[in-house]
């Protein structure tokens, strides 16, 4: 929670201090000018700005809730990009304005005093409103990235309270802050955070179908980094960096950070060498903040003009009510809740309270967790337990939409609270329309036979691999490097064909097939071992004596893996996931050439990965065929297409290096692999193990 809270804490502190400084300067200027009677006008404008910001946040939240999942991704991604633009502009504006903020605000106040009460309200409203809208947008974006976590709201609240305390201290002259240094330091941190928000927003746009490339991964550390570890949570919560990122995310993150941070730092240095303006002779009553020039007092003040009396509460009530009414109208007519949406209660003791027979068609159900535990929620066919829709991890006290297409048939809710027993609601009958499409649930027992078959395949592959790596080691020990190059490729292809088992190989995979990424000394690092270490030596002119030890260690590690594999845990849920992940890694490493250490055979490895995917689909075929009859023919056609493209790069005993492919061939191969990944994407959902108790 605190990892998600930090970015919001920083924006709350910074924007709160910015708005608070403006308010305190307004108040101090009026007090110094002898116009205390105008203070309610300032607070009215401030109140209106706060009401507008809160109403804006409500509109964002409730209008997004009524959208489909894809539309929510696109909507959220668009607003994330807009938020980054606002934050970037705010950072640069405050860097330029910190020194002269007091003078600028005083000029506006003086002009407002001359033009009457209404302009003073408008001045304070505009001065605070911009920060309020920026804050609402940025907080909505970070809160959405954190999901159900309350961290962003807590962080923002703490930041705003601290900012208010600092502003009070500045106003009362009990502390001094170098505002220039403060806004420079926080600006640099916010630029880094905004880069992460930009990457997150672009990913949402890819998921929403607005931007291409959602399967073109530049970084995929999901196999080597625990996403639940404290450091992963910290980096993801603060910087919005995830173990898996697409090329678009990485390029946008690096480009934004490089360009914006460079301009920001250059601007700071430029400001630092400019000669300071002479301080004005007299101190004003504005907050004494170090880094701000003092303001000279007003020489004369216009006499107060008696105004027509009206109830003091009328204007404040109006400025609060108007944004709230407008926001309510937007939500009502824009729809936070579709007209036919049902609110259905979820808890440990009852499930489905408020559920009545819906009309046929696409329906939205608002699932509200009234219990004390997070819960999995499924809309099921009570006769077959087939699932029409689901929500995972519905937190206590929260409401989320579940959208499902309802047709003729029976429906019920099943709620599975964390650590508790499943509760199933009474069923209802829907008449009319064709039968609804549901996913027959998968249990661990259903995956037991495929898992056993796949383990046998891996055991046989490891037996073959032990002999092949022993032969490779013997080749090198005997000085026969030509034979070693041939035998290296044979052994490496065998290992690559065992793709679904990577997650269970644990530390052995890093020893056997590790890359140089993250190693301080690259190819010379002592921890660079395995196939790619031997590959580097064989194709970079190293002698047999140089390679004898790495080859022997490879054979030893493979033998150790063979012995350890029968006792290693293999989560049945990993089988469906690997159908997609094997080729994701292929697209990222083999088809880009990143995994190549000189042999130019990454397409041969891609071919082996494809064979491993085909084997995995073979053991899962009965389960898939009964759940989506059209999926397998489509995937089979995709696999055949990719296979033909790979075969065209295979000539006798040699393979065309991926960087030697012509532009058209390479584009076709990447496109066919991307299409295969798209068609494999439903497999993990179709074969997800769903809780029933």
């Amino acid at each position: 929670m605190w990892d998600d809270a930090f970015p919001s804490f920083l924006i709350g502190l910074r924007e709160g201090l910015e708005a608070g400084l403006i308010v305190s300067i307004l108040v101090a200027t009026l007090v110094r000018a002898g116009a205390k009677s105008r203070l309610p006008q300032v607070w009215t404008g401030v109140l209106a700005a706060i009401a507008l910001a809160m109403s804006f946040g409500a509109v964002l939240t409730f209008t997004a809730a009524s959208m489909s999942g894809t539309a929510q991704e696109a909507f959220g991604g668009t607003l994330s990009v807009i938020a980054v633009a606002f934050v970037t502009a705010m950072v640069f504006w405050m860097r330029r304005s910190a020194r002269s903020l007091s003078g600028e605000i005083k000029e506006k106040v003086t002009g407002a005093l001359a033009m009457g009460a209404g302009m003073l309200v408008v001045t304070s409203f505009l001065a605070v409103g911009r920060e309020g809208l920026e804050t609402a947008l940025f907080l909505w974006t970070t809160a959405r990235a954190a999901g159900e976590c309350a961290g962003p709201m807590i962080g923002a609240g703490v930041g705003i309270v601290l900012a208010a305390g600092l502003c009070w201290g500045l106003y009362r002259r009990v502390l001094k802050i170098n505002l220039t240094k403060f806004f420079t330091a926080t600006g640099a941190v916010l630029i880094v955070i905004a880069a992460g928000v930009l990457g997150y927003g672009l990913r949402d746009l890819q998921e929403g179908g607005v931007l291409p490339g959602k399967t073109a991964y530049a970084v995929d550390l999901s196999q080597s980094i625990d996403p639940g570890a404290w450091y992963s949570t910290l980096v993801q919560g603060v910087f919005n960096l995830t173990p898996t990122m697409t090329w678009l995310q990485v390029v946008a993150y690096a480009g934004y950070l490089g360009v914006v941070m460079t301009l920001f730092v250059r601007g700071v240095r430029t400001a630092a060498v400019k000669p300071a303006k002479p301080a004005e002779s007299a101190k004003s009553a504005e907050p004494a903040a170090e880094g701000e020039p003092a303001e000279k007092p007003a020489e004369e003040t216009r006499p107060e003009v008696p105004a027509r009396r009206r109830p003091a509460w009328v204007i404040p009530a109006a400025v609060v009510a108007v944004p709230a009414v407008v926001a309510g109208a937007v939500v009502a007519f824009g729809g936070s809740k579709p007209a036919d949406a049902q609110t259905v209660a979820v808890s440990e003791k009852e499930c489905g309270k408020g559920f009545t027979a819906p009309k046929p068609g696409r329906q939205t159900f608002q699932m509200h967790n009234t219990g004390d535990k997070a819960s999995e929620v499924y809309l099921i066919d009570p006769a077959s337990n087939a699932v029409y829709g689901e929500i995972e991890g519905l937190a206590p006290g929260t409401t989320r939409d579940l959208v499902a297409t309802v047709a003729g048939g029976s429906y019920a809710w099943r709620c599975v609270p964390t650590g508790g027993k499943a509760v199933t609601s009474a069923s209802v009958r829907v008449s009319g329309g064709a039968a609804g499409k549901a996913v027959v649930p998968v249990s661990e027992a259903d995956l037991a036979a495929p898992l056993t078959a796949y383990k046998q395949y891996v055991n046989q592959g490891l037996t073959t691999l032990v002999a092949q790596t022993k032969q490779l080691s013997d080749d090198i020990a005997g000085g026969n490097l030509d034979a070693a190059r041939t035998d290296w490729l044979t052994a490496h292809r065998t290992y690559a064909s065992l793709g679904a088992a990577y997650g269970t190989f644990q530390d052995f995979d890093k020893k056997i097939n590790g890359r140089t990424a993250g190693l301080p000394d690259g190819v010379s690092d002592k921890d660079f071992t395995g196939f790619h270490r031997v590959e580097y030596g064989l194709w970079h002119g190293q002698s047999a004596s140089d390679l004898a030890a790495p080859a022997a260690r490879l054979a030893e590690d493979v033998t150790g893996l063979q012995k350890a594999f029968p006792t290693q845990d293999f989560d049945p849920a990993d089988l469906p996931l690997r159908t997609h992940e094997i080729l994701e890694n292929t697209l990222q490493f083999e088809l880009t050439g990143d995994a190549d250490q000189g042999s130019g055979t990454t397409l041969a490895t891609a071919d082996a990965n494809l064979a491993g995917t085909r084997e995995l689909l073979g053991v899962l075929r009965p389960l898939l065929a009964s759940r989506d009859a059209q999926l397998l023919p489509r995937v089979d056609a995709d696999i055949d297409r990719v296979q033909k493209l790979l075969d065209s790069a295979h000539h006798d005993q040699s393979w065309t290096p991926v960087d030697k492919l012509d532009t058209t061939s390479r584009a076709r191969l990447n496109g066919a692999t991307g299409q295969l990944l798209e068609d494999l994407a439903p497999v993990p959902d179709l074969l997800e193990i769903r809780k029933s108790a």
Side-chain angles (χ1 to χ4, degrees):
M1 181 180 72
W2 294 111
D3 306 314
D4 292 314
F6 177 74
S8 297
F9 164 77
L10 187 63
I11 198 71
L13 174 62
R14 182 187 172 94
E15 290 284 75
L17 184 57
E18 184 177 340
L21 282 171
I22 293 172
V23 172
S24 60
I25 291 170
L26 284 168
V27 171
T29 303
L30 290 173
V31 170
R32 180 68 183 88
K36 289 185 179 181
S37 61
R38 298 288 188 90
L39 289 178
Q41 297 161 13
V42 173
W43 297 120
T44 298
V46 171
L47 202 60
I50 294 173
L52 178 66
M54 296 180 67
S55 299
F56 179 55
V59 169
L60 291 178
T61 300
F62 292 114
T63 54
S66 65
M67 299 177 179
S68 66
T70 301
Q72 284 189 36
E73 298 287 358
F75 180 71
T78 301
L79 290 183
S80 294
V81 174
I82 294 173
V84 170
F86 280 161
V87 169
T88 305
M90 174 265 292
V91 165
F92 280 90
W93 181 79
M94 278 309 298
R95 190 204 67 202
R96 293 193 306 269
S97 304
R99 291 180 177 273
S100 58
L101 182 64
S102 176
E104 292 179 6
I105 295 299
K106 184 180 177 183
E107 289 178 7
K108 294 179 181 178
V109 174
T110 302
L113 280 170
M115 297 179 69
M119 283 306 299
L120 192 56
V121 172
V122 171
T123 299
S124 58
F125 171 78
L126 293 177
V128 179
R130 189 189 71 167
E131 279 68 37
L133 291 175
E134 288 176 351
T135 303
L137 179 57
F138 198 79
L139 291 183
W140 184 86
T141 301
T142 54
R144 185 175 181 276
E148 297 288 334
C149 178
M153 294 300 101
I154 294 175
V158 173
I160 291 172
V161 169
L162 180 57
L166 292 174
C167 288
W168 180 86
L170 289 170
Y171 178 77
R172 304 297 298 178
R173 297 179 179 274
V174 298
L175 58 83
K176 290 185 178 182
I177 295 177
N178 189 315
L179 296 179
T180 302
K181 291 183 178 180
F182 173 83
F183 285 116
T184 297
T186 57
V189 177
L190 274 178
I191 288 172
V192 176
I193 292 174
V197 173
L198 177 61
Y200 173 83
L202 293 177
R203 180 59 177 169
D204 275 353
L205 290 174
Q206 289 179 314
E207 293 288 349
V210 177
L211 295 177
K214 72 176 183 179
T215 59
Y217 294 107
V219 177
D220 186 358
L221 303 178
S222 55
Q223 299 298 315
S224 54
I225 292 180
D226 178 8
W230 67 268
Y231 53 85
S232 299
T233 306
L234 179 66
V235 172
Q236 184 166 344
V238 175
F239 302 111
N240 271 309
L241 294 177
T242 57
T244 303
M245 297 181 70
T246 64
W247 278 107
L248 180 61
Q249 287 180 280
V250 171
V251 170
Y253 182 91
Y256 174 89
L257 195 59
V259 173
V260 176
M261 188 66 80
T262 299
L263 293 174
F264 183 78
V265 172
R266 184 179 297 171
V268 170
R269 290 175 178 173
T270 302
V273 299
K274 286 183 179 179
K277 294 182 180 180
E280 297 176 353
S281 59
K283 292 184 178 180
S284 68
E286 285 86 13
E290 187 180 327
E292 272 192 48
E295 302 292 334
K296 60 184 181 180
E299 295 178 0
E300 60 178 278
T301 306
R302 286 177 176 267
E304 293 288 329
V305 178
R308 187 173 58 184
R309 291 287 181 182
R310 66 169 61 90
W313 56 268
V314 172
I315 293 179
V319 298
V320 173
V322 169
V325 169
V326 172
V330 171
V331 170
F333 294 104
S336 68
K337 176 179 177 180
D340 296 331
Q342 296 185 27
T343 298
V344 181
V346 175
S347 73
E348 302 93 302
K349 296 182 179 179
E350 61 181 0
C351 180
K353 184 178 180 180
F355 180 46
T356 58
K359 296 179 181 179
R362 187 175 178 82
Q363 299 294 334
T364 298
F365 302 95
Q366 294 193 316
M367 311 307 298
H368 179 58
N369 190 340
T370 59
D372 299 324
K373 298 180 179 179
S375 183
E376 311 288 310
V377 185
Y378 305 105
L379 179 62
I380 65 169
D381 177 346
S384 64
N385 289 323
V387 177
Y388 293 95
E390 63 184 308
I391 292 178
E392 296 182 355
L394 181 63
T398 60
T399 301
R400 284 164 60 187
D401 285 355
L402 187 151
V403 180
T405 300
V406 175
S410 296
Y411 295 85
W413 292 103
R414 176 165 292 156
C415 307
V416 187
T418 302
K421 295 183 178 180
V423 181
T424 304
S425 73
S427 63
V428 299
R429 182 78 185 175
V430 175
S431 301
K437 184 177 180 181
V439 176
V440 179
V442 173
S443 66
E444 288 194 21
D446 294 325
L447 287 170
L451 181 60
T452 299
Y454 195 77
K455 280 187 171 182
Q456 291 175 352
Y457 164 75
V458 173
N459 275 319
Q460 292 172 359
L462 289 175
T463 300
T464 301
L465 186 62
V466 167
Q468 290 172 343
T469 52
K470 178 66 168 57
Q471 181 62 51
L472 172 62
S473 180
D474 291 344
D475 290 341
I476 293 175
N480 191 349
L481 297 187
D482 287 337
R485 293 185 185 94
T486 300
D487 291 338
W488 176 89
L489 181 57
T490 300
H492 191 240
R493 280 170 54 82
T494 298
Y495 184 79
S497 69
L498 308 180
Y502 288 175
T504 62
F505 287 171
Q506 299 173 1
D507 292 340
F508 281 102
D509 184 53
K510 185 176 180 180
K511 296 176 183 177
I512 293 171
N513 205 41
R515 299 179 178 87
T516 57
L519 298 179
D521 297 324
V523 295
S524 301
D525 197 284
K526 62 181 179 59
D527 291 327
F528 182 37
T529 62
F531 277 111
H532 292 297
R533 168 64 184 90
V534 175
E535 176 191 10
Y536 179 83
L538 286 173
W539 276 273
H540 283 83
Q542 292 187 350
S543 66
S545 59
D546 292 331
L547 289 171
R553 180 174 176 180
L554 171 61
E556 179 182 338
D557 287 337
V558 169
T559 301
L561 172 60
Q562 183 194 33
K563 293 178 180 178
F565 179 70
T567 62
Q568 290 179 331
D569 291 331
F570 200 142
D571 188 346
D574 283 347
L575 282 178
L577 289 173
R578 295 296 188 270
T579 59
H580 195 266
E581 290 178 349
I582 296 172
L583 292 177
E584 278 186 339
N585 286 346
T586 302
L587 190 62
Q588 179 181 347
F589 296 113
E590 276 71 39
L591 297 189
T592 60
D594 286 353
D596 185 25
Q597 289 295 336
S599 68
T601 60
T602 56
L603 291 182
T605 306
D607 181 71
N609 286 338
L610 187 64
T613 301
R614 189 184 287 109
E615 182 70 30
L616 184 56
L617 286 169
V619 300
L620 296 174
R621 186 169 290 269
L623 292 176
L624 290 171
S626 64
R627 285 163 175 79
D628 190 339
Q630 298 178 349
L631 175 66
L632 285 173
R634 189 166 59 246
V635 167
D636 289 341
D638 291 340
I639 289 177
D640 290 343
R641 188 179 304 113
V642 175
Q643 186 67 67
K644 289 179 180 178
L645 292 169
L646 289 172
D647 289 344
S648 67
H650 187 201
H651 311 284
D652 297 327
Q653 300 300 315
S654 65
W655 289 81
T656 303
V658 69
D659 59 352
K660 300 298 183 184
L661 290 175
D662 62 79
T663 303
T664 301
S665 298
R666 191 166 183 177
R668 285 176 178 170
L669 180 57
N670 287 335
T673 306
Q675 183 60 54
L676 174 55
L677 280 169
E678 290 283 348
D679 289 336
L680 285 171
V683 172
D685 287 334
L686 288 172
L687 302 186
E688 179 184 354
I689 297 176
R690 291 175 167 86
K691 300 175 183 177
S692 59

